[in-house]
Amino acid sequence: MTMTGEEHAKGLTGPWWWTRWRSAVLDGSLALVSAVECGAEGVPFARDAGLPVAVGVVFGVIAGSVLLVRRKWPIAVVLVAIAITPAQMGFLLGVVGLYTLAACEVPRRVIGALAGMSLVGTAVVTFVRVRQDMARGDLTLGDWFVPFAAVTTALGLTAPPVLLGLYVGARRRLMESLRERAASLERELQLLAERAEERAEWARNEERTRIAREMHDVVAHRVSLMVVHAAALQAVARKDPEKAVRNAALVGDMGRQALTELREMLGVLRAGEDPVRRAAGVPLVAVREAAEAAASRAVVEDGPCLSELEELLGQSAAAGMVVDLSVEGEVRSYAAEVEQTAYRVVQEALTNVHKHAGGAKTHVRLAHRVSEIAMQVENEPPPEPGSASAAGLPSGGNGLVGMRERVAALGGVFVSGPTDAGGFRVSAVIPAA
């Protein structure tokens, strides 16, 4: 009776407008009892009105049967009960109708108006009936009993069903409100759980991307130089044994450096606690913190810094690259993630020169500004246009993507592309703060 919309449609398991068969049986039983009562009370009504007894009985049965529709049209039931009050019939109809009306989703002003009409009608009819009985001598009480009986009867037949109906209706609405709040809370919890899973997956992907980027930066440069030196070693092994020995020593040193860096990185990964696993057993706030930590942690402990840039250029020069470095502005230290990102950008740019423009002269420019640091790596066209490195280094296409991600994570700007002279230029600007 208080359900609406989709929930009401799902709750309809009984016939017609009843939600359940039990409700239909109850209303049918009440209507039957009310019809019998009104039919019996229709006999004296027909005699007093000078009508045939059958007419009074049929009228009473029809009026009492209206109680069958009390759940669908409670206002109509109460109006019928008020209408037949002068005929002194329909007491059960009036009581049940008022209770149903008060328990329904009907405006309070309508309930008050119909309850007042029923109260006044019952009081007037009782007053007239008691006064007639006293006039005939059936009652020998004083005149005070007439208004007392009228008021008491009217209140007794009107107030209890209305108050009980208001209580039941309020309790039903409260229960439905609690159920709706519980359902809403369940939906919110489910949504939060889904968001937690999404954040955990996002944190997991961030960790994977970060690890892949670090592995690429650590391995690609060292291995590229090793491949270049190995190719040079193969070319001069028979012609210049001393140079072959030096190249072999360089290859060994670079391999050991690559292994050292990989070992340090793997040690950090093993020692650090996995934020995704940790977030699986803690509240949602920890998941958010883990996601933020995964997004903000873009460096590995003991990572490279700008002070090691000359050593990096020296390794490329040892591999046969002609590279020059120019520094502008006052040299100063920056945050660890800023220095590591700047170092990685230069390192990856030099690796790309080894891969795609072997033997080309390369210019590295570093500018220390007031609130930012800028770097640019530009290579001239290779000695043989259209040819890549003689070592045949493979390219996975992840170098420029990784550089752009690193710079963007710190709020910087990254630009790369070919030059008009046929070379390639990589530029990045990173905020100092």
Side-chain angles (χ1 to χ4, degrees):
M1 182 163 52
T2 57
M3 292 188 298
T4 58
E6 183 179 356
E7 293 182 357
H8 180 72
K10 292 181 179 179
L12 290 176
T13 59
W16 297 338
W17 58 84
W18 285 284
T19 58
R20 293 173 296 182
W21 278 97
R22 184 175 62 182
S23 301
V25 172
L26 176 61
D27 290 355
S29 302
L30 290 176
L32 179 62
V33 174
S34 177
V36 172
E37 176 204 349
C38 292
E41 292 170 346
V43 175
F45 167 72
R47 292 175 179 173
D48 294 341
L51 299 174
V53 176
V55 174
V57 172
V58 171
F59 174 75
V61 170
I62 295 175
S65 300
V66 175
L67 197 59
L68 188 66
V69 297
R70 70 183 185 93
R71 296 178 188 267
K72 191 171 182 62
W73 296 299
I75 296 178
V77 173
V78 175
L79 289 176
V80 171
I82 295 174
I84 64 176
T85 299
Q88 297 183 1
M89 64 173 63
F91 296 103
L92 179 62
L93 179 66
V95 171
V96 177
L98 288 174
Y99 163 79
T100 306
L101 178 68
C104 287
E105 297 291 339
V106 177
R108 294 295 178 86
R109 61 179 182 274
V110 177
I111 297 175
L114 293 178
M117 293 172 59
S118 178
L119 177 68
V120 172
T122 303
V124 171
V125 171
T126 304
F127 184 89
V128 173
R129 182 62 182 271
V130 174
R131 192 174 184 84
Q132 290 177 352
D133 292 343
M134 293 184 66
R136 289 195 301 265
D138 296 339
L139 295 174
T140 58
L141 298 175
D143 293 338
W144 61 270
F145 182 73
V146 176
F148 174 77
V151 173
T152 302
T153 303
L155 289 176
L157 294 177
T158 304
V162 172
L163 294 177
L164 181 61
L166 291 175
Y167 167 75
V168 172
R171 183 175 180 275
R172 183 185 296 120
R173 287 188 291 271
L174 176 61
M175 295 301 295
E176 290 185 353
S177 175
L178 293 177
R179 283 194 294 268
E180 290 178 358
R181 291 179 61 183
S184 176
L185 180 60
E186 183 178 359
R187 289 192 297 269
E188 291 180 0
L189 290 177
Q190 183 178 2
L191 181 60
L192 288 176
E194 293 176 355
R195 289 182 178 177
E197 293 179 0
E198 293 177 357
R199 289 175 177 176
E201 182 64 24
W202 177 78
R204 194 178 299 114
N205 292 334
E206 286 291 323
E207 283 295 292
R208 291 171 180 170
T209 303
R210 184 185 65 84
I211 293 172
R213 186 166 55 239
E214 287 294 332
M215 296 289 289
H216 177 273
D217 291 342
V218 170
V219 176
H221 182 73
R222 302 291 185 188
V223 174
S224 298
L225 292 179
M226 291 171 62
V227 173
V228 171
H229 281 291
L233 177 61
Q234 183 180 5
V236 301
R238 296 181 180 180
K239 297 179 181 179
D240 191 350
E242 293 182 359
K243 187 175 182 181
V245 171
R246 291 194 301 270
N247 288 342
L250 288 174
V251 170
D253 291 340
M254 292 177 184
R256 282 188 291 272
Q257 292 176 2
L259 288 175
T260 301
E261 292 185 5
L262 286 175
R263 189 178 298 111
E264 292 176 356
M265 180 185 300
L266 293 176
V268 172
L269 293 177
R270 291 194 186 99
E273 183 181 5
D274 188 352
V276 178
R277 292 182 180 177
R278 182 184 62 207
V282 295
L284 299 178
V285 177
V287 177
R288 177 177 57 82
E289 294 176 354
E292 293 176 354
S296 61
R297 185 177 56 190
V299 299
V300 180
E301 296 180 359
D302 299 329
C305 57
L306 290 177
S307 61
E308 304 174 10
L309 197 58
E310 292 184 0
E311 180 181 356
L312 176 67
L313 300 182
Q315 294 173 356
S316 295
M321 177 187 294
V322 180
V323 55
D324 64 276
L325 172 65
S326 62
V327 180
E328 300 176 3
E330 182 181 356
V331 178
R332 64 182 188 275
S333 60
Y334 301 90
E337 57 269 19
V338 175
E339 293 208 6
Q340 179 173 347
T341 300
Y343 181 92
R344 293 301 189 194
V345 169
V346 176
Q347 182 187 57
E348 181 60 31
L350 294 176
T351 301
N352 287 341
V353 175
H354 284 295
K355 289 182 179 180
H356 306 290
K361 185 176 181 180
T362 304
H363 305 275
V364 179
R365 300 180 180 89
L366 191 65
H368 299 274
R369 299 170 183 170
V370 177
S371 58
E372 62 188 17
I373 179 173
M375 65 225 64
Q376 184 183 89
V377 179
E378 179 180 351
N379 64 275
E380 298 177 358
E384 297 181 6
S387 65
S389 175
L393 291 169
S395 176
N398 298 318
L400 295 178
V401 175
M403 286 189 283
R404 182 176 291 105
E405 291 177 351
R406 283 182 177 276
V407 174
L410 299 180
V413 178
F414 178 84
V415 179
S416 64
T419 62
D420 296 336
F424 199 84
R425 180 187 299 118
V426 172
S427 302
V429 179
I430 305 175

